């Protein structure tokens, strides 16, 4: 049997537990609204909408970077009819980039689709400040632009058609 002082401690412990639980639940609610370190340029958002509904049947890419003065994701380059290997050569080796790639994907059952892939290139040799800025902006950007196929790669040399097909094979 517990003494009154032990019961008081148990009650106090329960109160602290409930208070801590309330703080944790509050933090989880705040996590559901992603915070982004950088905004997204309005012109870029318009281009992304047009890119999503393009009618061409070739591979295409949009490479985006962060304007560090404005803290804004902006368009860096656009490419039409570009293979994964060609795209790999257009990505800076020591600077992070966001890439949206519309890829002509041939399924094993013979169907062809054109998934829009968001790829976060974050080379291991980039400055830590740059990596933090891009990583801190990625989730908000993905959320605002409504990307569903999101991939990350640390070394541009690892990016290939085989890598991309393996990633897309998961979505069948």
């Amino acid at each position: 049997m517990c003494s009154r002082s032990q019961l008081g401690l148990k009650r106090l412990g329960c109160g602290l537990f409930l208070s801590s639980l309330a703080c944790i639940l509050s933090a989880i609610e705040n996590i559901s609204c992603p915070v982004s370190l950088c905004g997204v340029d309005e012109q870029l958002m318009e281009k992304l909408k047009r890119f999503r509904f393009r009618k061409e049947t070739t591979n295409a890419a949009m490479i985006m970077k962060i304007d560090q003065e404005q803290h804004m994701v902006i368009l860096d380059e656009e490419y039409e009819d570009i293979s994964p290997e060609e795209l790999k050569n257009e990505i800076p080796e020591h600077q992070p980039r966001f890439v949206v790639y519309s890829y002509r994907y041939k399924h094993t059952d013979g169907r062809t689709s054109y998934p829009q892939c968001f790829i976060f290139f974050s080379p291991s040799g980039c400055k830590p400040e740059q990596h933090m800025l891009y990583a801190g902006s990625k989730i908000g950007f993905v959320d605002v632009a409504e990307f569903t196929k999101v991939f990350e790669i640390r070394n541009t040399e690892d990016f290939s058609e085989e890598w991309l097909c393996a990633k897309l094979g998961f979505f069948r």
Side-chain angles (χ1 to χ4, degrees):
M1 186 143 192
C2 297
S3 70
R4 283 185 173 215
S5 61
Q6 288 174 324
L7 282 173
L9 286 176
K10 285 184 182 180
R11 285 188 192 132
L12 179 60
C14 184
L16 288 174
F17 171 76
L18 291 176
S19 175
S20 297
L21 183 59
C23 288
I24 291 168
L25 291 174
S26 175
I28 290 171
E29 286 174 10
N30 290 334
I31 289 173
S32 67
C33 293
V35 173
S36 185
L37 296 179
C38 295
V40 181
D41 182 59
E42 287 182 32
Q43 292 175 343
L44 174 59
M45 287 304 297
E46 287 301 318
K47 282 186 177 260
L48 286 168
K49 285 179 188 175
R50 286 193 302 272
F51 190 78
R52 175 173 285 165
F53 298 110
R54 64 191 285 276
K55 301 292 183 204
E56 293 82 3
T57 59
T58 58
N59 297 341
M62 293 176 67
I63 300 175
M64 291 145 293
K65 65 182 181 179
I66 293 178
D67 180 323
Q68 293 186 1
E69 290 178 13
Q70 296 179 8
H71 285 277
M72 188 75 58
V73 180
I74 60 171
L75 180 65
D76 189 20
E77 297 287 337
E78 282 184 277
Y79 298 96
E80 283 291 331
D81 198 17
I82 187 168
S83 71
E85 282 69 28
E86 292 168 329
L87 179 59
K88 171 174 55 176
N89 293 329
E90 298 299 328
I91 306 294
E93 290 184 28
H94 300 291
Q95 296 177 345
R97 287 293 187 268
F98 297 136
V99 175
V100 178
Y101 191 45
S102 179
Y103 176 69
R104 183 182 175 137
Y105 180 62
K106 295 181 183 178
H107 297 264
T108 55
D109 62 3
R111 293 177 297 122
T112 301
S113 65
Y114 301 89
Q116 190 176 62
C117 308
F118 177 85
I119 307 165
F120 173 34
F121 283 91
S122 179
S124 53
C126 73
K127 294 178 183 177
E129 301 84 28
Q130 280 186 318
H131 177 73
M132 296 286 285
L133 184 61
Y134 277 79
S137 301
K138 180 186 103 173
I139 294 173
F141 184 38
V142 166
D143 188 48
V144 166
E146 300 177 347
F147 297 119
T148 58
K149 293 166 181 64
V150 178
F151 311 119
E152 186 170 330
I153 196 161
R154 299 284 288 170
N155 185 349
T156 55
E157 289 303 312
D158 294 338
F159 183 69
S160 67
E161 193 155 12
E162 293 78 25
W163 177 87
L164 187 58
C165 287
K167 295 290 186 182
L168 290 171
F170 175 77
F171 291 96
R172 296 179 198 207

